[in-house]
């Protein structure tokens, strides 16, 4: 009875795990729902390797069952089955088959590895030193936020990466503090960001798959980097080429900080100038060196999907974040840098920040 109960517990556990894993199909987040050339290639390799493993398991189980029943000890039969030790035929078979399986897996894997690492287009420059026919984004990972710089377009933004669909986007990946890892699960595998070097790769965002994901993918840090590692999220907004061109024009059009409108927002602007401007910028054309860009660029803060990457984009959540960022992202570099704000100051600052918009202008 006890053993039967244990078996039922095991079955229940597998059923719960199956239900849990079934939730991994989110088009915005799942590596099992590829949304671009890179992700599709990697997904095909996963399917191929899984099929090979399943084939091996099935063959081994079948052979095991055949041997178990055919050569089991029978009552009154004390004869010893024919021994296969030293059989050249069998040795050739069980040596050749694994080699063939490895070749079947290795050839497409090696070809894909070289194809996906091809970033030669980043090195082709025009007479002005800009990348000629490729969109390049410098990704800089920080504790616990992301910066995205478009060096050829003169745009710096944070927390939300904006990219065109059906076009290769090339990335330079680096870190300001500790090792992080840049990962958009639906669009491609992860790649580390390091302090002492730059990694390069490319991703391509499929237009039709982007529509299924409502033009919004979720990005993660895939390297354990500190107490708020799990909260180091970012979003990827995809746009058609025409819409992306319009977004670039909007961002480039903001040359200076837009003056606040209304008494409350103006009060917030003054607080920002006294307490925040040393770390944050409010224009996309931030020409300061990387070392001086200590916090996310807020030029289009009012257009974003999330606050600090994880909180809902509402006045209430922004107020909560400004009041105590440590509560929501332990170990972040913002806590304690601007003193305590009273409720009136937080409301004013919230009004100012929520009106920092670019796309609607």
């Amino acid at each position: 009875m006890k053993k039967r109960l244990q078996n039922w517990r095991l079955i229940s556990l597998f059923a719960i795990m199956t239900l849990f894993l079934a939730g991994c199909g989110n088009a915005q987040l799942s590596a099992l729902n590829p949304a671009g050339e890179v992700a599709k290639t990697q997904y095909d390799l996963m399917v191929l390797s899984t099929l090979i493993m399943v084939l091996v398991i099935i063959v081994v189980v079948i052979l095991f069952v055949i041997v178990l029943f055919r050569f089991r000890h029978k009552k009154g039969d004390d004869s010893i089955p024919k021994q296969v030790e030293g059989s050249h035929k069998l040795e050739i078979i069980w040596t050749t088959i694994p080699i063939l399986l490895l070749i079947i897996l290795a050839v497409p894997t090696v070809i894909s590895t070289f194809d996906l690492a091809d970033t030669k287009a980043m090195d082709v420059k025009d007479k002005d030193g800009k990348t000629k026919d490729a969109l390049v984004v410098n990704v800089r990972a920080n504790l616990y936020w992301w910066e995205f710089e478009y060096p050829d377009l003169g745009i710096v933004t944070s927390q939300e990466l904006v990219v065109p669909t059906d076009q290769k986007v090339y990335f330079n990946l680096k870190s300001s503090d500790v090792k992080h890892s840049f990962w958009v699960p639906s669009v491609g595998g992860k790649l580390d960001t390091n302090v002492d070097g730059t990694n390069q790769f490319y991703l391509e965002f499929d237009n039709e798959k982007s529509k299924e994901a409502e033009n919004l993918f979720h990005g993660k840090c895939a390297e354990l980097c500190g107490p708020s590692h799990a909260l180091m999220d970012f979003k990827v907004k995809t746009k058609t080429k025409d819409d992306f061109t319009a977004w670039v024009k909007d961002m480039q059009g903001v040359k200076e900080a837009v003056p606040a409108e209304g008494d409350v927002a103006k009060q917030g602007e003054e607080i920002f100038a006294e307490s925040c401007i040393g770390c944050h910028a409010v224009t996309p054309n931030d020409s300061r060196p990387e070392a001086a860009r200590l916090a996310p660029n807020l030029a289009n803060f009012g257009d974003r999907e999330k606050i600090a990457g994880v909180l809902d984009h509402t006045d209430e959540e922004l107020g909560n974040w400004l009041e105590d960022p440590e509560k929501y992202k332990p170990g972040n570099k913002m806590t304690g840098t601007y003193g305590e704000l009273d409720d009136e100051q937080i409301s004013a600052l919230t009004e100012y920040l929520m009106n920092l918009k670019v796309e609607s202008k």
Side-chain angles (χ1 to χ4, degrees):
M1 181 67 183
K2 185 178 180 182
K3 186 176 181 180
R4 186 177 298 175
L5 183 60
Q6 289 177 338
N7 289 338
W8 274 111
R9 286 176 177 171
L10 192 61
I11 293 172
S12 301
L13 178 62
F14 275 113
I16 293 172
M17 289 297 294
T18 302
L19 184 64
F20 175 75
L21 292 174
C24 297
N26 188 337
Q28 297 175 322
L29 186 62
S30 174
L32 302 180
N33 195 353
E37 175 194 331
V38 176
K40 184 67 169 58
T41 301
Q42 294 170 341
Y43 175 79
D44 290 342
L45 289 175
M46 284 193 293
V47 171
L48 176 62
S49 58
T50 302
L51 289 176
I52 291 175
M53 287 189 289
V54 170
L55 175 64
V56 171
I57 291 172
I58 290 174
V59 171
V60 170
V61 169
I62 291 174
L63 291 175
F64 178 78
V65 172
I66 291 174
V67 170
L68 188 66
F69 283 94
R70 183 173 178 182
F71 299 105
R72 73 183 188 279
H73 180 263
K74 298 181 179 66
K75 189 175 182 180
D77 181 6
D78 295 329
S79 61
I80 298 176
K82 181 182 177 181
Q83 302 299 296
V84 296
E85 181 181 1
S87 171
H88 293 298
K89 183 178 180 180
L90 287 177
E91 288 182 352
I92 291 173
I93 290 174
W94 59 49
T95 301
T96 304
I97 291 178
I99 292 175
L100 290 175
L101 293 177
L102 284 176
I103 291 174
I104 292 172
L105 183 60
V107 170
T109 300
V110 171
I111 293 174
S112 299
T113 299
F114 279 95
D115 285 345
L116 299 181
D118 181 9
T119 58
K120 291 194 292 291
M122 301 175 73
D123 301 325
V124 182
K125 306 287 185 179
D126 62 17
K127 61 181 182 180
D128 297 322
K130 295 182 178 180
T131 308
K132 194 172 182 180
D133 297 315
L135 175 62
V136 177
V137 180
N138 296 335
V139 177
R140 190 162 63 99
N142 308 268
L143 290 171
Y144 296 96
W145 57 281
W146 298 85
E147 180 181 87
F148 305 108
E149 179 184 14
Y150 302 72
D152 299 321
L153 304 176
I155 295 173
V156 178
T157 185
S158 303
Q159 294 300 102
E160 290 188 356
L161 171 66
V162 179
V163 294
T165 55
D166 293 339
Q167 175 183 335
K168 288 181 179 178
V169 182
Y170 294 84
F171 296 93
N172 289 311
L173 305 175
K174 50 192 171 183
S175 172
S176 297
D177 33 53
V178 300
K179 182 187 286 292
H180 302 277
S181 191
F182 179 80
W183 189 27
V184 187
S186 296
V187 190
K190 70 184 184 73
L191 192 62
D192 284 349
T193 64
N194 302 310
V195 177
D196 54 357
T198 301
N199 285 331
Q200 296 180 327
F201 79 150
Y202 73 87
L203 295 174
E204 185 168 354
F205 299 78
D206 181 81
N207 190 52
E208 293 303 317
K209 288 290 185 180
S210 294
K211 290 179 181 176
E212 291 179 16
E214 299 178 343
N215 293 308
L216 184 68
F217 293 101
H218 296 183
K220 309 286 291 185
C221 176
E223 192 76 43
L224 183 59
C225 56
S228 289
H229 154 71
L231 303 173
M232 193 173 165
D233 292 2
F234 63 95
K235 301 293 180 289
V236 184
K237 286 183 174 178
T238 55
K239 296 179 179 293
T240 62
K241 291 180 182 178
D242 289 342
D243 287 345
F244 179 76
T245 301
W247 177 80
V248 169
K249 187 177 179 181
D250 287 342
M251 293 291 276
Q252 291 176 333
V254 183
K255 301 296 184 184
E256 298 179 353
V258 179
E261 297 180 0
D263 293 340
V264 178
K266 286 181 179 177
Q267 182 186 351
E269 185 180 29
E270 293 174 1
I271 297 170
F272 187 88
E274 293 174 359
S275 306
C276 314
I277 196 67
C279 299
H280 295 281
V282 289
T283 57
N285 58 344
D286 189 352
S287 59
R288 296 177 299 171
E290 288 180 358
R293 302 200 294 258
L294 302 176
N297 187 300
L298 302 179
N300 60 346
F301 183 83
D303 296 323
R304 293 180 184 170
E305 299 288 331
K306 293 286 184 180
I307 294 169
V310 291
L311 300 176
D312 290 340
H313 197 263
T314 64
D315 290 358
E316 181 181 1
E317 290 289 25
L318 178 55
N320 292 335
W321 169 256
L322 293 172
E323 184 176 6
D324 186 6
E326 191 69 14
K327 179 180 178 181
Y328 301 96
K329 275 193 175 181
N332 76 86
K333 298 294 182 66
M334 180 172 168
T335 301
T337 58
Y338 52 87
E340 291 191 8
L341 303 172
D342 59 33
D343 292 344
E344 183 181 356
Q345 290 173 315
I346 289 176
S347 296
L349 200 50
T350 298
E351 178 73 12
Y352 171 65
L353 292 173
M354 281 298 196
N355 283 288
L356 291 176
K357 297 181 179 181
V358 172
E359 293 182 69
S360 59
K361 292 183 182 297

